[in-house]
Amino acid sequence: MRILCLNGPNLNRLGKREKEAYGTFTLAEVEQDLKAAAEAEDIELECRQSNHEGELIDWIHGSEEEQADGIILNAGAFTHTSVAIRDAIASVTVPVIEVHISNVYRREEFRHHSFIAPVAEGQITGFGQDVYELALQAFILKRKRDQR
Ligand code: DQA
């Protein structure tokens, strides 16, 4: 199984940005922990981060040719603004799990709407860095079920 983990704008600032909302861990730590969890389950994991909407869109499009089985996506603020990312997800057959480190529903109202949620398999929000591993677990459970 091959999983892509895509992080959007400002997530490269984890550890430095708004620590009360996002904690003190860095993106490198998130990716390292996720890689270890993936390896333990024999999953090939590729992690990428971009501050550019078009680059995220290109990676989502490319996920089919890359034969990814799933995408863990934290689109950051693009979650609340980007019809283009929503359309990119709808254009591929690769399932996407939307994740947010903070509980977006406990925060400002503009974070309550997600353009991505209607085209995602599901959404995991508010468990800090664990959201990435929870999303990975969801793909692992799906694999188990599909193999039955
Ligand atoms: C975020 C929540 C978004 O509202 C915000 O713009 C982010 C991070 C999260 O992980 O909690 O950049 O996606």
Side-chain angles (χ1 to χ4, degrees):
M1 183 156 78
R2 183 172 156 74
I3 300 290
L4 296 179
C5 178
L6 304 182
N7 276 286
N10 301 309
L11 288 153
N12 55 316
R13 303 286 300 162
L14 284 176
K16 297 189 186 92
R17 73 182 290 213
E18 303 177 82
K19 292 180 187 158
E20 59 299 336
Y22 303 116
T24 54
F25 53 87
T26 64
L27 184 59
E29 287 164 348
V30 168
E31 292 180 348
Q32 205 175 5
D33 288 354
L34 193 62
K35 271 212 171 104
E39 255 165 45
E41 290 286 340
D42 220 17
I43 291 167
E44 206 185 313
L45 178 79
E46 164 97 20
C47 298
R48 299 176 194 152
Q49 187 273 333
S50 178
N51 294 319
H52 305 279
E53 194 174 14
E55 193 161 33
L56 291 162
I57 290 168
D58 288 343
W59 288 337
I60 292 164
H61 291 170
S63 64
E64 264 181 8
E65 283 97 88
E66 283 186 59
Q67 302 193 320
D69 297 292
I71 300 175
I72 299 168
L73 174 65
N74 186 346
F78 289 147
T79 306
H80 320 299
T81 63
S82 180
V83 175
I85 290 180
R86 180 235 174 261
D87 285 354
I89 294 168
S91 82
V92 297
T93 53
V94 180
V96 171
I97 297 181
E98 173 185 351
V99 302
H100 301 286
I101 294 163
S102 62
N103 180 351
V104 289
Y105 300 104
R106 209 154 67 176
R107 302 182 64 197
E108 302 95 323
E109 192 138 353
F110 64 84
R111 296 185 204 277
H112 297 182
H113 177 260
S114 166
F115 279 104
I116 291 167
V119 291
E121 291 296 298
Q123 185 192 57
I124 303 171
T125 182
F127 297 96
Q129 97 168 85
D130 292 346
V131 292
Y132 295 93
E133 283 190 47
L134 289 168
L136 187 71
Q137 280 303 322
F139 282 125
I140 291 166
L141 290 170
K142 185 173 183 287
R143 174 177 66 179
K144 217 188 265 176
R145 218 168 299 116
D146 288 348
Q147 282 168 352
R148 258 190 228 143

